[in-house]
Amino acid sequence: MPPTPPHQRIAELRSLLQKASYAYYSLDAPIMEDSVYDGLYRELEALEAAQPDLITPDSPTQRVGDTPAEQFVSVRHRVPLYSLENAFNLEELRAWDERWRRITDEPAQYVCELKIDGSAIALTYKNGVLVRGATRGDGVTGEDITQNIRTIRAIPLRLNVNDPPPVLEVRGEAFLPLDVFEQINAERQESGEPLFANPRNAAAGTLRQLDPRVAARRRLDFFAYSLQAPEGGLLLPCQEAALNTLQDLGFRVNPNRRTCPTLEAVMTYYDTWDSQRHDLGYLTDGVVVKLNDFRLQEELGFTQKFPRWAIALKYPAEEAPTVVERISVNVGRTGAVTPLAELRPLQLAGTTVARATLHNQDHINELDVRVGDTVVVRKAGEIIPEVVRVLPELRPQGTEPFVLPSHCPECGQPVVDLEDEAVVRCINASCPAIVKGALVHWAGRGALDIEGLGERWVEQFVDLGLVQTVADLYDLTLDQLVALERMGQKSAQNLLAAIERSKAQPWDQVLYGLGIRHVGSVNAQTLARAFPSVELLAGAEVEAIAQVYGIGPEIAQSVHQWFRIEANQALVNRLQDAGVTLIGTQSIASTEGVLKGKTVVITGTLPTLSR
Ligand code: IVH
């Protein structure tokens, strides 16, 4: 069989990768293993590298640009982005319903959608190719953020259709899934950067990142909810059809939509999602109710600000007042000294809240929060509750501004205020709080995942001097464990078995478990792929580490420094002796040529992919 000419192979690869990406990101129904995707992606990259003139902007390899923008350019939306009127209860919903029914007596169906709490964006496709992505701005003018939008995998670079309309305008909500949000904030906390208040701010901040590589790393997601073809070419009868078409075109559309015949059914939808929304993995702040029929929508039109044919039915605010009873100071595994407000317990978003983070001294100063103050506390989804503001009218007499202690509350050593960091730190490597934190992190999910090894045992291990570093865990004996308070024979055996099993956890999880600053689980995966053994990583120069796609100079610096510290080298040696996995294997399934059908195990450096 003659070999497929490169341009044809390129076209076939692009089409298949686009399908796979759509199945994975938009439908949540993968059609191939990640390793197969990666293999095909690399083949496409290689073909394009050999013939750069064949690269087109809609190729799957062209999602992440590498030239930061100087600033964003303003763009005028072809069709303005309206916002929605809010209703907070059934009466307000009924009032809206009666209002539009006064204008027309057509029968109507409602389409209910989740109201995603992110940032609205507008996408323009010309002849099926994404040419522009913009922020909402004031609804009339937004900013051109195409470079960042292209990094969102739930947004197709090319529409999945043979005869696209000349122009297609798609709107939807860009957002950060909660786990990604928490990870970003954990990483920011570690590096002393200011935290994002909530996923919405984090999403908006990410969309306006000048460097698309930063945006790509933040893993934004997207749900499409509206589509228009201002120059014709698509005739759709209703919102339901529009949502289905969006999905067919390649967009991620929220699966929890529902067409409802009555307002009662709308209320049931609202109640259902009010109680189930905390399991979604992203934040929603209400539901959006739209009249389904596009003819009816057109007839009703818009007020100055809102469509008359839609309304947002919002969930009650998850903010409530309480009193700060104490401010305690916590020392984390990185030595970061964080103030916590101990609150008079209150019910918020379905859980009891008794503590809220105050982040750092600057934040305390900004809020001017003091012991005794009545404060507004907010909790949304799975996010750590936080103090939003103080009610100064309710401040008791004689309160004092709160100042963090100058010495570590755990070990008594002076804390240091490192330049360009918002947090102060205890830098005593044998501070019990740091040692305990490191152990809990090592045993935690995503790291060595040692079942049964929580704070309770770690406290005892450290306080009794049984364990000083994570390597000591592998020397623990049954006798030592059984001697602990409230530890039975059976639990001791189970714990030892779990510690033994952890030796087989993969290299990237071990690397994450080491707790090197700036190396969260995502960076650990990236680094472990680029440096598939501890020797390779420990021996790498800063420049070599910084060259890895997705790893910035600050992370590279931190990793490099970590391996230069003697105590850390000794720790790695002991882990190696204990039999912990410090080497990775990478297997890719090759699809063509002499390697067809074989699995090849490679050790060495590979260019990393974002996937
Ligand atoms: S429809 C003219 N549908 O809510 C119709 N909006 O408060 C305009 N939003 O700016 C919007 N999920 O950012 C619509 N399923 C959904 C939505 C949604 C979130 C946001 C959108 C809009 C804001 C209005």
Side-chain angles (χ1 to χ4, degrees), residues 114-117 178 254 256 269-287 313-319 348-350 379-382:
L114 301 182
K115 187 168 188 302
I116 313 296
D117 197 8
L178 284 171
N254 195 288
N256 307 309
Y269 176 90
Y270 170 83
D271 289 338
T272 306
W273 284 107
D274 189 11
S275 58
Q276 288 180 14
R277 66 190 152 120
H278 300 296
D279 305 326
L280 283 170
Y282 48 85
L283 290 187
T284 59
D285 56 346
V287 305
L313 187 51
K314 302 270 288 236
Y315 298 128
E318 297 176 306
E319 291 184 354
L348 216 51
K379 183 175 192 303
E382 283 104 286

Side-chain angles (χ1 to χ4, degrees), residues 82-84 86 113-120 136 172-173 225 288 290 302 307 309-310 312:
Y82 285 87
S83 90
L84 292 169
N86 289 326
E113 297 166 27
L114 301 182
K115 187 168 188 302
I116 313 296
D117 197 8
S119 253
R136 174 176 189 276
E173 201 81 352
Y225 56 65
V288 181
K290 302 173 183 174
F302 296 81
W309 43 265

Side-chain angles (χ1 to χ4, degrees), residues 50 63 77 134 242-243 246 335 391 399 433 447 470 603:
R63 279 207 178 259
H77 298 297
L243 292 173
L246 279 167
L391 300 174
T399 60
V470 296
T603 60

Side-chain angles (χ1 to χ4, degrees), residues 332-413:
R333 74 179 164 87
T334 61
V337 177
T338 7
L340 281 177
E342 310 273 351
L343 308 168
R344 182 179 295 165
L346 74 159
Q347 285 293 116
L348 216 51
T351 56
T352 305
V353 172
R355 301 167 119 202
T357 176
L358 292 172
H359 301 307
N360 53 52
Q361 186 70 53
D362 290 346
H363 195 67
I364 292 181
N365 297 348
E366 239 164 71
L367 291 169
D368 187 22
V369 55
R370 306 176 183 193
V371 175
D373 269 343
T374 300
V375 293
V376 175
V377 178
R378 171 169 56 207
K379 183 175 192 303
E382 283 104 286
I383 301 159
I384 325 159
E386 57 173 6
V387 173
V388 186
R389 63 197 165 94
V390 173
L391 300 174
E393 298 84 352
L394 299 180
R395 172 168 287 169
Q397 292 213 318
T399 60
E400 299 275 343
F402 182 84
V403 183
L404 277 170
S406 58
H407 287 70
C408 171
E410 298 286 336
C411 71
Q413 294 293 311

Side-chain angles (χ1 to χ4, degrees), residues 452-471:
L453 184 55
E455 247 165 80
R456 174 168 153 212
W457 300 123
V458 164
E459 287 267 327
Q460 289 200 51
F461 290 165
V462 176
D463 293 345
L464 295 172
L466 291 178
V467 172
Q468 263 113 38
T469 72
V470 296

